[in-house]
Structure formats: structure tokens, C-alpha cells
Amino acid sequence: MSTQGNPEDPDSPPGRNPFEEVLQRVEEANGFLDLPGPIYRRLRIPRRSLTVSVPVRMDNGEVSFFTGYRVQYDMARGPFKGGIRYHPGVTLEEITALAALMTWKCALVDIPFGGSKGGVACDATGMSRDELKALTRRYTYEIGPFIGPETDIPAPDMYTDEQVMAWIMDTYSMMKGYTVPGVVTGKPLCLGGTVGRRGATATGLVILLEETVRHLGLAMKDLTVSIVGYGKVGAVAAGLLHGMGAKVIGVADSKGAIYNPGGLDVELLSAHKAETGGVSGFREAEELTIEELIASEADVLIPAALEGQINASNAGKLRVKILAEAANNPTTTEADAIIKGKDIFVLPDVLANAGGVVVSYFEWVQGLQRFFWKEKEVCDRLREIMTSAFEEVLSVAAEKKTDTRTAAMILGVKRVAEAVRVRGLYP
Ligand code: NAD
């Protein structure tokens, strides 16, 4: 683990640096690729990092100042693409790490986008709708000159949703003087969103789990599943898996964890969360700490919340067959080393949660053509892309005799490096 803040800046403050962890993964991939020095160094530096101050008049009349970021990591293969996160823990290092991961992810599933990410350090759960709208509009205004359908296309991430995308689209359109639906994906359907985007990340994950189960000779209906994070990804994945006969036995969110080895009624649980704001207190389930849930036995563990939740202190305690990383960067590099020594099949984040950006790509394409697809077309094309990426990762892992995460990174980094090489150095 890092003790240095920014690996490219020796004066940066100490602490866990998620970007440095991503760079370690690039280094591991490069151990197999042996890229030319200048290209390798180019892939270790974000192309553009923007920090903005976001003043917001709060409901009590006072003005609060929030810090926002947009990091555009690489655009060799197409426009920058990446979500926007509202969370108190947002930092430049975190957003840079997430922007880098978006770059390898888009390349791994072979869609013509680069990678970016944005975020504002704020507690969205404690803000009113008016405050969130004001924050979103001012943040959009500040990053406005750097985004657009051909340049950089935001989407939802933690604590942002379709409504936030609608506000971004409206603000950007007001700045331009005409309506620009293509500036964001994950929009409401009435503004040019696509069918299937809302559940796309979870659907992509479940398609990969179906492939994994087949690969390992297991059966979906026999699976027990624990999920950390019960939001747009975790809750939808729970519903889909439950519908396929798997047993969701444990769920955690920011407020606590619940567990029932006999299986949770996912529909009732979602109603309980909608009513009370959390999964805790759900009847017919035992209350656990999040750490206890992570250490409990299940066939599948799905981290679907923050990064670093699988770390050196709990990786050794994992008792699962499959780690399906719905979250971005949920496993630290130290934890990764421990997991490699265990018999755990890892669906790494860049593969596992790519369904979201794949359907965002479909939304962008449909928007550019002003021609919209039926749900079956979206689902069939998503399945085709996810299964073929899964097969490619397995085949590289076998060929290079390496783990699935390194194989996924090899594929993603190689494709970006190739685009950088063929384009050449400007000027
Ligand atoms: P969300 O805001 O809809 O839900 C987040 C969930 O995580 C909530 O249930 C929240 O209570 C829980 N949570 C927050 N802090 C927690 C903690 N410390 N411990 C346990 N649970 C905690 O967010 P989301 O869109 O579902 O995103 C979840 C993860 O999936 C993120 O890592 C995100 O980057 C990744 N992801 C999301 C998408 C997407 O399309 N939304 C796509 C790719 C990857």
C-alpha cells in the first residue's frame, strides 16, 4: 500500500492512494506487454485534471463552497466517458483512479470511448433537492467548457441519478442555447435516455455471473450471494439474481448489514429500504456489521459500494468462491495479493461493471442517430459484448498463465496503447 499521496509528486501527503494502486495494476499488465517507454509513461498520467470550486446557496440562506473535479484520463480511442460521484470522500486521487479505470474498461469491452470521471465532495444524503439542483447546475457550469457529446460525456455514479443527469443536460443546453441530449448518458427516457440503462450495470454483472457459473460447473439456482451496497447496482443485481433462483443471504449499505442464511425476500427488502432509508431493521434477518458480512460464507460476494472495502484486514477472511466486483476499485492491491493465494474466481471491476458504460454507449449512439432501439436489441447487444469480453479475459489469462484481473488489464491497456501508438505524438 502507498504511503505517498500522488506517485508523480513526491511532495504529496501520505495515505492510501487509489490512483497509485491502479498504476500498480498497469505496471503488472505492462510486465506482459513490455510497451515502449514513452507510451507506457503516457498511460500513467491523466491527460487533464480539473478542480473547481462550487458555491451553493443553501436552504438556510448561507453560501457553502464545495470542491468538484473532472479528470479526463485518456481519449486516444474516442471521447472521454465517465460518471459523476457525489460523496464526502471524493478526492482528486480517487477521481483520477476512477478515470483511469474507465479508460481500461472502455477499451476492454472495445467501445470507442476514452476514460474520465468527475465528482463533488459533498454529502448528498443530507442535502435538499433544491440544494442538489443548485450544486449540480453550478458544477456543470464550471466543467461546462470541457464536456460535450464529442468531448466528454458524464453519467451517473454513486449518489447521482437520472434527475442529476437531467439537470446537467439542461444546464449545458442553456449554456449552448440549444438542447444537447448527448452531453450525458443515464438520462430519463423522456430526454433521450435508452431503455435498459437503469439496470445495465447489474444486468452486465449477472450475464458475467451466468458465464462464470457455467465455467466453474456450478448452478445459478444453488448460489448464495452477499452484496455490499444496495443502490442502483447492488439492489438491481439482488433482484435479478433472486429472480434467477439464487439466494441473496446478506446485504449491506452505508448504515449496516443484514444476514439470513435461508435467503432474504429481495422485494420486501427493497420496500423496507425505500421506507426506512436503509437495509437495517429488516425483519427475519440478523443484524451484522459490514465487516462480519464480508467475512461470512457465501458462494458469491458482490462489493457494490465504495473502493477499498476488500482490503488487507479482511481479504484473508473471505469465504467465497466468486468475487464479482460491481464497485469500482473495491479491492486494494494488498488484498488482491492475498486473494490470488485463495481459490476465488475474480470478476474484476473493469469487466464486472462494464455493462453500465456499454449501455451508455448504446444511448449515445441512439442519441446521435435520433433513432431508438427496442429493449430486446439493447439486451442482446449487451449480452454479446459482455460474453465476448469474458471469453477474451479467460483466454488471455490461460495464455499468459495469469489471473483474471491482470488479463483484463492486459487487454484494456494494450488496446489503449495501440491507439496512442498509431495516432503518434502531437505535434
Ligand atoms: P448508489 O449511490 O446508487 O448506491 C450506493 C450504495 O452503497 C448505497 O446502498 C449506499 O448505502 C451504499 N454504501 C455507501 N457507503 C457504503 C459503505 N461504506 N459500506 C457499505 N455500503 C455503502 O451507487 P451505485 O450507482 O449503485 O454505485 C455503486 C458502485 O458501483 C460504485 O463503486 C460505482 O462506481 C460502481 N458503478 C456504478 C455504475 C452505475 O451505472 N451506477 C456503473 C459502473 C460502476
Side-chain angles (χ1 to χ4, degrees):
M1 180 141 15
S2 158
T3 52
Q4 194 179 295
N6 179 349
E8 311 294 347
D9 171 8
D11 296 328
S12 66
R16 175 179 172 266
N17 184 332
F19 179 46
E20 189 177 340
E21 299 199 333
V22 172
L23 290 183
Q24 273 183 44
R25 294 191 166 135
V26 177
E27 193 177 333
E28 275 176 42
N30 193 43
F32 292 88
L33 294 169
D34 198 17
L35 297 171
I39 291 183
Y40 176 58
R41 287 201 294 281
R42 175 74 194 87
L43 298 187
R44 295 174 62 84
I45 306 166
R47 171 128 185 188
R48 196 180 282 146
S49 306
L50 184 65
T51 301
V52 296
S53 171
V54 186
V56 177
R57 188 170 302 283
M58 307 302 276
D59 291 347
N60 64 8
E62 284 176 16
V63 176
S64 293
F65 291 84
F66 299 90
T67 304
Y69 307 96
R70 186 74 185 169
V71 174
Q72 299 178 330
Y73 198 84
D74 189 88
M75 51 152 238
R77 289 171 43 89
F80 297 108
K81 183 85 187 84
I84 287 177
R85 173 176 292 194
Y86 289 170
H87 190 273
V90 160
T91 61
L92 181 60
E93 286 77 19
E94 178 194 52
I95 296 299
T96 308
L98 294 169
L101 286 174
M102 282 305 294
T103 306
W104 324 129
K105 186 186 306 179
C106 291
L108 168 61
V109 290
D110 213 0
I111 55 175
F113 283 141
S116 56
K117 201 84 182 188
V120 180
C122 66
D123 179 9
T125 61
M127 293 171 72
S128 71
R129 184 183 159 90
D130 282 347
E131 289 168 345
L132 277 178
K133 182 161 58 172
L135 175 100
T136 303
R137 286 194 179 284
R138 185 59 190 254
Y139 170 67
T140 306
Y141 178 79
E142 296 299 337
I143 66 168
F146 302 95
I147 61 172
E150 302 295 340
T151 49
D152 184 5
I153 308 138
D157 191 77
M158 286 187 81
Y159 298 101
T160 57
D161 58 12
E162 286 183 0
Q163 177 60 73
V164 172
M165 294 308 112
W167 289 329
I168 294 176
M169 183 274 219
D170 182 68
T171 307
Y172 184 82
S173 300
M174 289 298 139
M175 288 166 68
K176 289 285 167 190
Y178 52 89
T179 296
V180 192
V183 67
V184 286
T185 59
K187 295 181 289 290
L189 279 178
C190 64
L191 296 181
T194 179
V195 286
R197 174 61 184 90
R198 206 175 281 168
T201 307
T203 305
L205 181 83
V206 170
I207 292 169
L208 294 170
L209 276 174
E210 287 180 271
E211 295 298 315
T212 305
V213 159
R214 202 169 302 133
H215 174 71
L216 298 179
L218 304 170
M220 191 61 101
K221 65 173 181 40
D222 298 331
L223 286 190
T224 54
V225 184
S226 291
I227 306 177
V228 178
Y230 203 68
K232 292 185 297 297
V233 181
V236 178
L240 293 172
L241 291 167
H242 182 69
M244 296 167 92
K247 226 189 260 178
V248 179
I249 58 171
V251 166
D253 65 9
S254 60
K255 301 195 179 116
I258 54 163
Y259 179 70
N260 180 346
L264 297 159
D265 184 324
V266 170
E267 225 169 275
L268 284 181
L269 176 60
S270 292
H272 170 83
K273 169 130 180 151
E275 201 179 306
T276 65
V279 296
S280 296
F282 184 59
R283 63 183 173 82
E284 291 169 27
E286 193 189 330
E287 302 278 330
L288 298 183
T289 63
I290 297 172
E291 285 303 316
E292 283 169 339
L293 180 66
I294 290 173
S296 66
E297 194 171 347
D299 294 314
V300 187
L301 175 63
I302 305 179
L306 289 170
E307 54 269 18
Q309 284 198 303
I310 312 296
N311 48 50
S313 67
N314 59 22
K317 299 180 194 155
L318 291 187
R319 288 186 288 153
V320 296
K321 296 186 180 115
I322 301 167
L323 178 65
E325 295 182 344
N328 280 306
N329 216 8
T331 307
T332 65
T333 44
E334 280 182 328
D336 215 15
I338 298 168
I339 290 168
K340 277 180 198 165
K342 292 168 89 100
D343 191 16
I344 296 178
F345 185 93
V346 177
L347 280 170
D349 51 4
V350 284
L351 174 65
N353 67 38
V357 76
V358 169
V359 178
S360 273
Y361 165 56
F362 297 162
E363 178 176 334
W364 181 74
V365 168
Q366 292 170 74
L368 291 180
Q369 298 179 338
R370 305 285 197 269
F371 180 76
F372 291 86
W373 311 348
K374 299 258 183 287
E375 188 159 11
K376 183 174 181 321
E377 200 166 352
V378 171
C379 293
D380 288 351
R381 288 182 189 220
L382 174 64
R383 182 172 289 276
E384 197 183 316
I385 291 181
M386 297 308 291
T387 51
S388 110
F390 178 82
E391 278 159 22
E392 278 186 293
V393 167
L394 282 198
S395 132
V396 170
E399 184 200 323
K400 307 279 187 199
K401 297 190 177 39
T402 189
D403 59 289
T404 47
R405 187 190 310 283
T406 309
M409 287 295 292
I410 291 172
L411 274 161
V413 170
K414 186 177 168 191
R415 287 190 180 134
V416 179
E418 181 61 4
V420 170
R421 186 188 68 76
V422 174
R423 286 181 66 153
L425 183 64
Y426 176 84

